[in-house]
Amino acid sequence: MTPPAPSAARDSAALCAALDDPVELTARLCDIPSVSGDEARIADAVEAVLREISAGDRTSLEIVRNGDALIARTTLGLDERVLVAGHLDTVPIEDNLPTDRRVLDGQDVVWGRGACDMKAGVAMQLAVARALRAPARDVTWVFYDHEEVDASLNGLGRLAADHPDLLAADLAILGEPSNAGIEGGCNGTIRVEVRTTGVRAHSARAFMGENAIHAAAPILATLADYEERTVTVDGLDYRESMSAVGISGGVAGNVVPDACTVLVNHRFAPSTSGAEAEAHLRELFAGFDVTVVDLSEGARPGLDKPTAQAFADAVGAPVAPKLGWTDVARFSALGVPALNFGPGNPLFAHRADEHVPAAEVLAASSALLTFLEPAAGAPAWAQDGTEQDEDAR
């Protein structure tokens, strides 16, 4: 192995020193800036931590590096394999680093960029990886880059293309913030451009033209009258939605426009395929020019699978549907049922006041450890997390 650069050595030493304190570990991970496209430093540090964990008295790991993404796997030959994934990047910093420990609404929190989305989830992964001694299930840990930017750059997508065999599992857990509860699967999303055409004319002689913006009125009326469905999938109720999210048209202040485009976003239940969602939109806007500009399949929660249900039982809280799209869909595409589970309120993701409650970091870490190694002697942080588990959620 190539020795890490001095900065990576300092970073990894700081992280290793906090592996028995997931809350402090969250703060130290946040204090390694990793805005999308600049994840090399944190990837180096996390790789060094994983190698330190593997070399210790815990379960050894097979470690694979792919760009700034990492896969670390146990190879014990157990009956089940669980994959736990988290992204290393954040959105840009807004004067919210270095981190700060604060009390907000009576809760001890870690405040700073990435605390919620999703350095706390990464801290959960590393702390549990360190605590495991004899897991009941083989575990694959995944840390990836470029989640917060264009999907074509996503490190998990790259891993799925380059190492699909290493992502095989009976259950995938994505550490996206979910208030230390489980959000199952996710809705799919499709965006289409619905276009109208007309004939340009001087607005003083509008009767000589055909106004393309006026022609968009039926599109907007269809959207305003649309009745959204709620679809039950694996026992969870996924509410669908259909929205105009943009409209463009016009040439000049004295010209009747000859073109108008309405951008429509449809969020569809995971029991519906992308092809079915597209067909629905084309039927809905029959007679108009419809172009798909973005499509991501949804993901079933997989709660009908024993491993997913066992995890829900270990967390001990009701499972909610994930209405927004997340990378769980990438696992679903590989045939792996996937759940969202991590500390932090997603409503604070990307905000200048981003923060995560310490109690949720402990509760989530404790639940994950209990699931992966039910017979483990709980470390101090896991005991604390168990005591605070109900309040955290």
Side-chain angles (χ1 to χ4, degrees):
M1 185 182 91
T2 303
S7 62
R10 288 193 298 269
D11 290 339
S12 61
L15 297 181
C16 284
L19 285 173
D20 291 329
D21 183 352
V23 179
E24 177 60 26
L25 183 57
T26 298
R28 295 188 185 192
L29 285 163
C30 290
D31 286 335
I32 303 175
S34 57
V35 175
S36 302
D38 191 24
E39 299 99 329
R41 177 181 167 188
I42 196 169
D44 289 345
V46 170
E47 180 180 4
V49 171
L50 291 170
R51 294 194 182 280
E52 181 70 19
I53 291 172
S54 183
D57 60 351
R58 268 61 172 181
T59 305
S60 62
L61 300 168
E62 171 195 354
I63 300 172
V64 176
R65 177 89 177 243
N66 180 294
D68 289 329
L70 293 153
I71 298 174
R73 307 167 72 244
T74 65
T75 53
L76 302 173
L78 300 174
D79 291 338
E80 294 181 338
R81 177 173 292 277
V82 174
L83 184 151
V84 188
H87 63 83
L88 298 172
D89 61 322
T90 72
V91 297
I93 297 163
E94 299 179 79
D95 295 323
N96 50 5
L97 285 184
T99 51
D100 189 19
R101 295 290 288 272
R102 300 182 179 183
V103 176
L104 297 179
D105 298 325
Q107 290 185 310
D108 176 25
V109 307
V110 177
W111 180 97
R113 172 58 75 228
C116 171
D117 189 18
M118 58 168 290
K119 299 291 181 69
V122 173
M124 172 186 72
Q125 290 178 269
L126 292 174
V128 173
R130 170 68 172 79
L132 286 177
R133 292 181 180 272
R137 299 167 170 90
D138 266 310
V139 188
T140 300
W141 305 103
V142 177
F143 305 86
Y144 62 101
D145 56 291
H146 285 90
E147 190 271 348
E148 300 289 7
V149 289
D150 189 271
S152 64
L153 302 173
N154 188 289
L156 187 57
R158 188 178 66 249
L159 289 174
D162 294 348
H163 301 286
D165 55 317
L166 298 183
L167 299 184
D170 297 285
L171 173 68
I173 299 168
L174 185 65
E176 287 285 349
S178 60
N179 300 107
I182 298 174
E183 293 181 331
C186 70
N187 272 340
T189 179
I190 182 173
R191 275 179 282 270
V192 299
E193 292 179 340
V194 186
R195 295 188 180 87
T196 63
T197 58
V199 178
R200 288 193 194 187
H202 195 295
S203 60
R205 294 176 292 279
F207 54 85
M208 297 296 294
E210 296 178 14
N211 195 309
I213 292 179
H214 293 181
I219 300 171
L220 300 178
T222 296
L223 291 168
D225 294 339
Y226 186 78
E227 295 185 5
E228 300 169 338
R229 300 188 309 163
T230 296
V231 182
T232 301
V233 181
D234 293 350
L236 301 182
D237 293 334
Y238 290 85
R239 182 171 180 175
E240 298 185 328
S241 64
M242 180 91 69
S243 306
V245 294
I247 187 166
S248 60
V251 180
N254 60 350
V255 177
V256 171
D258 62 345
C260 179
T261 300
V262 180
L263 182 63
V264 177
N265 183 208
H266 177 39
R267 301 293 176 129
F268 54 93
S271 56
T272 299
S273 70
E276 290 170 335
E278 179 182 347
H280 176 55
L281 286 167
R282 292 192 182 279
E283 180 182 6
L284 198 63
F285 299 111
F288 294 98
D289 179 19
V290 176
T291 302
V292 177
V293 295
D294 180 59
L295 171 62
S296 296
E297 301 278 355
R300 299 182 72 102
L303 291 173
D304 55 335
K305 304 295 192 295
T307 309
Q309 190 57 57
F311 179 60
D313 293 342
V315 174
V319 180
K322 186 70 171 180
L323 301 185
W325 190 91
T326 73
D327 276 331
V328 294
R330 298 184 186 277
F331 293 109
S332 183
L334 295 171
V336 180
L339 304 170
N340 301 276
F341 173 76
N345 186 335
L347 296 179
F348 288 99
H350 302 185
R351 287 174 42 154
D353 62 346
E354 183 176 355
H355 61 272
V356 62
E360 287 191 11
V361 180
L362 296 173
S365 301
S366 175
L368 182 60
L369 177 60
T370 298
F371 170 63
L372 294 176
E373 190 172 354
W381 57 260
Q383 295 169 0
D384 292 343
T386 299
E387 292 168 2
Q388 302 180 62
D389 194 22
E390 189 170 336
D391 291 339
R393 285 194 291 270

